Amino acid sequence: MTLNQASVVENISLIRSRIKGSAGGRPVSLVVVTKGFGVEAVRAALAVGELELGENYAQELIAKHAELTDDERSFVQWHFLGRLQSKKIRALAPIVAVWQSIDRLTLIDELARRAPGARIFIQANLSGEEQKGGAALSEVPMLVDHAQTAGLDVRGLMGVGAAGDAERSVAGFEALVALSDQLGLSERSVGMTEDLELAVSAGSTMVRVGSAIFGPRSAPLRG
Ligand SMILES: *Cc1c(COP(=O)(O)O)cnc(C)c1O
């Protein structure tokens, strides 16, 4: 798959119809994940209009944002999805609209200081794979409470499915949806290229999709 504007636009529209096919009429939003691709991927995707874009790495996001014009920036809301270090929050705060990977108290406290009222998701670990980040489900209620007390705008819960294990992923998605209901949080950010239908059927309100739009990240992509 080459990174040309027509195929990116077509892929976004395909993803939107795949989402619709599983959503049963519920609105489900799409975060277009540009990590691993250059600013040309952002520009190609912007052909569809206003976008929510996702990135995992602080330096990559800062560099990409710096390359956009003010006009282009006005169409973009950046979601931060990756493992986050407290010391990066200060530099990211002017850029990030939604912080999806908040999984510990120190991040909540630093965000409350550097980005008061920030929109966040508490990330739960659904797969037991530590490198994916996220708090244990049992810790999530305490983190939500702490963030709300600190004045942050907790939109919902975020999670990553278990790679290659549909059954385990669905169990994790359902647990996350049940917990967000229990906590009175309306948003659930689950579902990626591999498992978006499973996640949407389980009650996701927001999917985050990269490779189904831009191609595999390991391939040569610039051009
Ligand atoms: C990379 C990533 C995505 C997008 O994954 P694809 O498989 O490319 O759709 C979504 N969410 C998170 C947290 C990611 O790290």
Side-chain angles (χ1 to χ4, degrees), residues 98-162:
V98 183
W99 307 77
Q100 291 213 17
S101 48
I102 303 306
D103 62 1
R104 55 192 191 276
L105 293 170
T106 48
L107 293 177
I108 292 170
D109 292 340
E110 183 66 4
L111 266 179
R113 184 156 47 232
R114 303 285 182 190
R119 270 188 272 163
I120 70 166
F121 283 71
I122 298 295
Q123 183 182 352
N125 189 309
L126 304 179
S127 67
E129 296 160 89
E130 204 186 319
Q131 73 278 11
K132 286 186 174 162
L137 279 169
S138 59
E139 283 179 28
V140 165
M142 177 276 292
L143 292 170
V144 168
D145 182 64
H146 189 80
Q148 287 171 335
T149 303
L152 300 180
D153 179 4
V154 183
R155 290 304 172 100
L157 305 184
M158 183 274 242
V160 176

Side-chain angles (χ1 to χ4, degrees), residues 24-92:
R26 288 183 303 114
V28 175
S29 57
L30 169 64
V31 175
V32 173
V33 179
T34 48
K35 73 165 181 236
F37 298 87
V39 73
E40 65 277 15
V42 174
R43 298 212 160 99
L46 276 173
V48 307
E50 285 187 24
L51 277 180
E52 300 187 78
L53 296 180
E55 285 283 337
N56 279 54
Y57 304 100
Q59 283 323 114
E60 186 179 342
L61 170 52
I62 290 166
K64 230 169 267 181
H65 180 77
E67 288 185 73
L68 295 177
T69 65
D70 285 342
D71 185 51
E72 288 166 335
R73 287 175 189 168
S74 72
F75 289 91
V76 174
Q77 290 220 304
W78 289 110
H79 290 236
F80 194 82
L81 309 176
R83 308 286 317 252
L84 181 59
Q85 294 173 277
S86 293
K87 64 178 185 201
K88 302 283 188 195
I89 287 178
R90 186 177 180 184
L92 288 170

